[in-house]
Amino acid sequence: MSGARRSGSRNSRRNGTDGERAEAAEAYRRSVARLQHTAYRNLRQTIAYATIFVAVLATWMILIGAATPASFPWYAASVLGGVLGLATYAVREPRPRRYILAGAVVLAVVGVTGIFLVD
């Protein structure tokens, strides 16, 4: 084997101008920013869907009569958490949407925990 490097080898370095490197770095930053934005949006939607699902189950349990007077406030908290989870789709500003989503999660968790502790 010869010790000479070919032009297409992995170790060859692409020589570019500073402008090309800066443009490539900016394109990379934009790509990462889009990925982070999409990941956050998917996480927010998944959390909102989970609170809405808990609210649907709690509403169903209330409608079929499974809620006792002792457990009704916990079911109501779960339903309210789902309503807040649904409200995140109406709010467009990121900061209030984050607070509404946090409230939805807290209410859903408190409601489910209370339901299990009472029953």
mmCIF file with all atom_site columns, all heavy atoms in Angstrom, residues 10-22:
data_model
loop_
_atom_site.group_PDB
_atom_site.id
_atom_site.type_symbol
_atom_site.label_atom_id
_atom_site.label_alt_id
_atom_site.label_comp_id
_atom_site.label_asym_id
_atom_site.label_entity_id
_atom_site.label_seq_id
_atom_site.pdbx_PDB_ins_code
_atom_site.Cartn_x
_atom_site.Cartn_y
_atom_site.Cartn_z
_atom_site.occupancy
_atom_site.B_iso_or_equiv
_atom_site.pdbx_formal_charge
_atom_site.auth_seq_id
_atom_site.auth_comp_id
_atom_site.auth_asym_id
_atom_site.auth_atom_id
_atom_site.pdbx_PDB_model_num
ATOM 1   N N   . ARG A 1 10 ? -10.851 10.348 3.227  1.00 0.00 ? 10 ARG A N   1
ATOM 2   C CA  . ARG A 1 10 ? -11.567 10.903 4.356  1.00 0.00 ? 10 ARG A CA  1
ATOM 3   C C   . ARG A 1 10 ? -10.767 11.980 5.076  1.00 0.00 ? 10 ARG A C   1
ATOM 4   O O   . ARG A 1 10 ? -11.326 12.871 5.704  1.00 0.00 ? 10 ARG A O   1
ATOM 5   C CB  . ARG A 1 10 ? -11.864 9.775  5.339  1.00 0.00 ? 10 ARG A CB  1
ATOM 6   C CG  . ARG A 1 10 ? -12.981 10.074 6.255  1.00 0.00 ? 10 ARG A CG  1
ATOM 7   C CD  . ARG A 1 10 ? -13.284 8.960  7.202  1.00 0.00 ? 10 ARG A CD  1
ATOM 8   N NE  . ARG A 1 10 ? -13.143 7.632  6.630  1.00 0.00 ? 10 ARG A NE  1
ATOM 9   C CZ  . ARG A 1 10 ? -13.136 6.534  7.333  1.00 0.00 ? 10 ARG A CZ  1
ATOM 10  N NH1 . ARG A 1 10 ? -13.244 6.577  8.632  1.00 0.00 ? 10 ARG A NH1 1
ATOM 11  N NH2 . ARG A 1 10 ? -13.008 5.365  6.769  1.00 0.00 ? 10 ARG A NH2 1
ATOM 12  N N   . ASN A 1 11 ? -9.484  11.904 4.994  1.00 0.00 ? 11 ASN A N   1
ATOM 13  C CA  . ASN A 1 11 ? -8.631  12.841 5.706  1.00 0.00 ? 11 ASN A CA  1
ATOM 14  C C   . ASN A 1 11 ? -8.396  14.138 4.943  1.00 0.00 ? 11 ASN A C   1
ATOM 15  O O   . ASN A 1 11 ? -7.769  15.051 5.458  1.00 0.00 ? 11 ASN A O   1
ATOM 16  C CB  . ASN A 1 11 ? -7.276  12.202 6.018  1.00 0.00 ? 11 ASN A CB  1
ATOM 17  C CG  . ASN A 1 11 ? -7.446  11.042 6.982  1.00 0.00 ? 11 ASN A CG  1
ATOM 18  O OD1 . ASN A 1 11 ? -8.361  11.040 7.794  1.00 0.00 ? 11 ASN A OD1 1
ATOM 19  N ND2 . ASN A 1 11 ? -6.573  10.054 6.860  1.00 0.00 ? 11 ASN A ND2 1
ATOM 20  N N   . SER A 1 12 ? -8.843  14.185 3.716  1.00 0.00 ? 12 SER A N   1
ATOM 21  C CA  . SER A 1 12 ? -8.629  15.423 2.972  1.00 0.00 ? 12 SER A CA  1
ATOM 22  C C   . SER A 1 12 ? -9.552  16.492 3.523  1.00 0.00 ? 12 SER A C   1
ATOM 23  O O   . SER A 1 12 ? -10.679 16.227 3.936  1.00 0.00 ? 12 SER A O   1
ATOM 24  C CB  . SER A 1 12 ? -8.883  15.214 1.478  1.00 0.00 ? 12 SER A CB  1
ATOM 25  O OG  . SER A 1 12 ? -10.248 14.986 1.261  1.00 0.00 ? 12 SER A OG  1
ATOM 26  N N   . ARG A 1 13 ? -9.107  17.695 3.520  1.00 0.00 ? 13 ARG A N   1
ATOM 27  C CA  . ARG A 1 13 ? -9.844  18.803 4.089  1.00 0.00 ? 13 ARG A CA  1
ATOM 28  C C   . ARG A 1 13 ? -10.339 19.705 2.981  1.00 0.00 ? 13 ARG A C   1
ATOM 29  O O   . ARG A 1 13 ? -9.598  20.012 2.060  1.00 0.00 ? 13 ARG A O   1
ATOM 30  C CB  . ARG A 1 13 ? -8.927  19.568 5.018  1.00 0.00 ? 13 ARG A CB  1
ATOM 31  C CG  . ARG A 1 13 ? -9.645  20.511 5.887  1.00 0.00 ? 13 ARG A CG  1
ATOM 32  C CD  . ARG A 1 13 ? -8.736  20.980 6.964  1.00 0.00 ? 13 ARG A CD  1
ATOM 33  N NE  . ARG A 1 13 ? -9.503  21.904 7.778  1.00 0.00 ? 13 ARG A NE  1
ATOM 34  C CZ  . ARG A 1 13 ? -9.002  22.812 8.530  1.00 0.00 ? 13 ARG A CZ  1
ATOM 35  N NH1 . ARG A 1 13 ? -7.711  22.915 8.630  1.00 0.00 ? 13 ARG A NH1 1
ATOM 36  N NH2 . ARG A 1 13 ? -9.755  23.614 9.212  1.00 0.00 ? 13 ARG A NH2 1
ATOM 37  N N   . ARG A 1 14 ? -11.599 20.112 3.094  1.00 0.00 ? 14 ARG A N   1
ATOM 38  C CA  . ARG A 1 14 ? -12.152 20.996 2.080  1.00 0.00 ? 14 ARG A CA  1
ATOM 39  C C   . ARG A 1 14 ? -11.726 22.411 2.398  1.00 0.00 ? 14 ARG A C   1
ATOM 40  O O   . ARG A 1 14 ? -11.997 22.918 3.482  1.00 0.00 ? 14 ARG A O   1
ATOM 41  C CB  . ARG A 1 14 ? -13.673 20.895 2.091  1.00 0.00 ? 14 ARG A CB  1
ATOM 42  C CG  . ARG A 1 14 ? -14.304 21.752 1.057  1.00 0.00 ? 14 ARG A CG  1
ATOM 43  C CD  . ARG A 1 14 ? -15.788 21.506 1.032  1.00 0.00 ? 14 ARG A CD  1
ATOM 44  N NE  . ARG A 1 14 ? -16.366 22.440 0.095  1.00 0.00 ? 14 ARG A NE  1
ATOM 45  C CZ  . ARG A 1 14 ? -17.248 23.360 0.408  1.00 0.00 ? 14 ARG A CZ  1
ATOM 46  N NH1 . ARG A 1 14 ? -17.696 23.431 1.639  1.00 0.00 ? 14 ARG A NH1 1
ATOM 47  N NH2 . ARG A 1 14 ? -17.708 24.184 -0.488 1.00 0.00 ? 14 ARG A NH2 1
ATOM 48  N N   . ASN A 1 15 ? -11.065 22.998 1.463  1.00 0.00 ? 15 ASN A N   1
ATOM 49  C CA  . ASN A 1 15 ? -10.649 24.376 1.650  1.00 0.00 ? 15 ASN A CA  1
ATOM 50  C C   . ASN A 1 15 ? -11.753 25.287 1.151  1.00 0.00 ? 15 ASN A C   1
ATOM 51  O O   . ASN A 1 15 ? -12.176 25.208 0.015  1.00 0.00 ? 15 ASN A O   1
ATOM 52  C CB  . ASN A 1 15 ? -9.343  24.669 0.902  1.00 0.00 ? 15 ASN A CB  1
ATOM 53  C CG  . ASN A 1 15 ? -8.197  23.880 1.497  1.00 0.00 ? 15 ASN A CG  1
ATOM 54  O OD1 . ASN A 1 15 ? -8.208  23.619 2.687  1.00 0.00 ? 15 ASN A OD1 1
ATOM 55  N ND2 . ASN A 1 15 ? -7.245  23.510 0.677  1.00 0.00 ? 15 ASN A ND2 1
ATOM 56  N N   . GLY A 1 16 ? -12.230 26.132 2.024  1.00 0.00 ? 16 GLY A N   1
ATOM 57  C CA  . GLY A 1 16 ? -13.264 27.076 1.648  1.00 0.00 ? 16 GLY A CA  1
ATOM 58  C C   . GLY A 1 16 ? -12.914 28.430 2.218  1.00 0.00 ? 16 GLY A C   1
ATOM 59  O O   . GLY A 1 16 ? -12.066 28.575 3.098  1.00 0.00 ? 16 GLY A O   1
ATOM 60  N N   . THR A 1 17 ? -13.585 29.403 1.729  1.00 0.00 ? 17 THR A N   1
ATOM 61  C CA  . THR A 1 17 ? -13.337 30.741 2.225  1.00 0.00 ? 17 THR A CA  1
ATOM 62  C C   . THR A 1 17 ? -14.024 30.905 3.580  1.00 0.00 ? 17 THR A C   1
ATOM 63  O O   . THR A 1 17 ? -14.855 30.098 3.994  1.00 0.00 ? 17 THR A O   1
ATOM 64  C CB  . THR A 1 17 ? -13.887 31.783 1.235  1.00 0.00 ? 17 THR A CB  1
ATOM 65  O OG1 . THR A 1 17 ? -15.304 31.634 1.171  1.00 0.00 ? 17 THR A OG1 1
ATOM 66  C CG2 . THR A 1 17 ? -13.272 31.603 -0.143 1.00 0.00 ? 17 THR A CG2 1
ATOM 67  N N   . ASP A 1 18 ? -13.659 31.972 4.253  1.00 0.00 ? 18 ASP A N   1
ATOM 68  C CA  . ASP A 1 18 ? -14.282 32.241 5.546  1.00 0.00 ? 18 ASP A CA  1
ATOM 69  C C   . ASP A 1 18 ? -15.781 32.491 5.395  1.00 0.00 ? 18 ASP A C   1
ATOM 70  O O   . ASP A 1 18 ? -16.574 32.114 6.257  1.00 0.00 ? 18 ASP A O   1
ATOM 71  C CB  . ASP A 1 18 ? -13.629 33.462 6.205  1.00 0.00 ? 18 ASP A CB  1
ATOM 72  C CG  . ASP A 1 18 ? -12.216 33.158 6.691  1.00 0.00 ? 18 ASP A CG  1
ATOM 73  O OD1 . ASP A 1 18 ? -11.928 31.960 6.926  1.00 0.00 ? 18 ASP A OD1 1
ATOM 74  O OD2 . ASP A 1 18 ? -11.425 34.110 6.840  1.00 0.00 ? 18 ASP A OD2 1
ATOM 75  N N   . GLY A 1 19 ? -16.177 33.095 4.321  1.00 0.00 ? 19 GLY A N   1
ATOM 76  C CA  . GLY A 1 19 ? -17.594 33.356 4.067  1.00 0.00 ? 19 GLY A CA  1
ATOM 77  C C   . GLY A 1 19 ? -18.383 32.067 3.900  1.00 0.00 ? 19 GLY A C   1
ATOM 78  O O   . GLY A 1 19 ? -19.503 31.944 4.399  1.00 0.00 ? 19 GLY A O   1
ATOM 79  N N   . GLU A 1 20 ? -17.784 31.091 3.196  1.00 0.00 ? 20 GLU A N   1
ATOM 80  C CA  . GLU A 1 20 ? -18.462 29.806 3.013  1.00 0.00 ? 20 GLU A CA  1
ATOM 81  C C   . GLU A 1 20 ? -18.594 29.080 4.338  1.00 0.00 ? 20 GLU A C   1
ATOM 82  O O   . GLU A 1 20 ? -19.624 28.462 4.616  1.00 0.00 ? 20 GLU A O   1
ATOM 83  C CB  . GLU A 1 20 ? -17.698 28.945 2.015  1.00 0.00 ? 20 GLU A CB  1
ATOM 84  C CG  . GLU A 1 20 ? -17.802 29.427 0.587  1.00 0.00 ? 20 GLU A CG  1
ATOM 85  C CD  . GLU A 1 20 ? -16.918 28.624 -0.334 1.00 0.00 ? 20 GLU A CD  1
ATOM 86  O OE1 . GLU A 1 20 ? -15.974 27.961 0.155  1.00 0.00 ? 20 GLU A OE1 1
ATOM 87  O OE2 . GLU A 1 20 ? -17.162 28.652 -1.546 1.00 0.00 ? 20 GLU A OE2 1
ATOM 88  N N   . ARG A 1 21 ? -17.553 29.127 5.157  1.00 0.00 ? 21 ARG A N   1
ATOM 89  C CA  . ARG A 1 21 ? -17.619 28.482 6.471  1.00 0.00 ? 21 ARG A CA  1
ATOM 90  C C   . ARG A 1 21 ? -18.643 29.153 7.368  1.00 0.00 ? 21 ARG A C   1
ATOM 91  O O   . ARG A 1 21 ? -19.395 28.480 8.082  1.00 0.00 ? 21 ARG A O   1
ATOM 92  C CB  . ARG A 1 21 ? -16.244 28.516 7.137  1.00 0.00 ? 21 ARG A CB  1
ATOM 93  C CG  . ARG A 1 21 ? -15.327 27.470 6.596  1.00 0.00 ? 21 ARG A CG  1
ATOM 94  C CD  . ARG A 1 21 ? -14.073 27.359 7.430  1.00 0.00 ? 21 ARG A CD  1
ATOM 95  N NE  . ARG A 1 21 ? -12.975 27.185 6.505  1.00 0.00 ? 21 ARG A NE  1
ATOM 96  C CZ  . ARG A 1 21 ? -11.910 27.940 6.412  1.00 0.00 ? 21 ARG A CZ  1
ATOM 97  N NH1 . ARG A 1 21 ? -11.741 28.934 7.232  1.00 0.00 ? 21 ARG A NH1 1
ATOM 98  N NH2 . ARG A 1 21 ? -10.992 27.693 5.520  1.00 0.00 ? 21 ARG A NH2 1
ATOM 99  N N   . ALA A 1 22 ? -18.707 30.469 7.333  1.00 0.00 ? 22 ALA A N   1
ATOM 100 C CA  . ALA A 1 22 ? -19.689 31.194 8.149  1.00 0.00 ? 22 ALA A CA  1
ATOM 101 C C   . ALA A 1 22 ? -21.106 30.885 7.680  1.00 0.00 ? 22 ALA A C   1
ATOM 102 O O   . ALA A 1 22 ? -22.027 30.709 8.495  1.00 0.00 ? 22 ALA A O   1
ATOM 103 C CB  . ALA A 1 22 ? -19.430 32.697 8.087  1.00 0.00 ? 22 ALA A CB  1
#
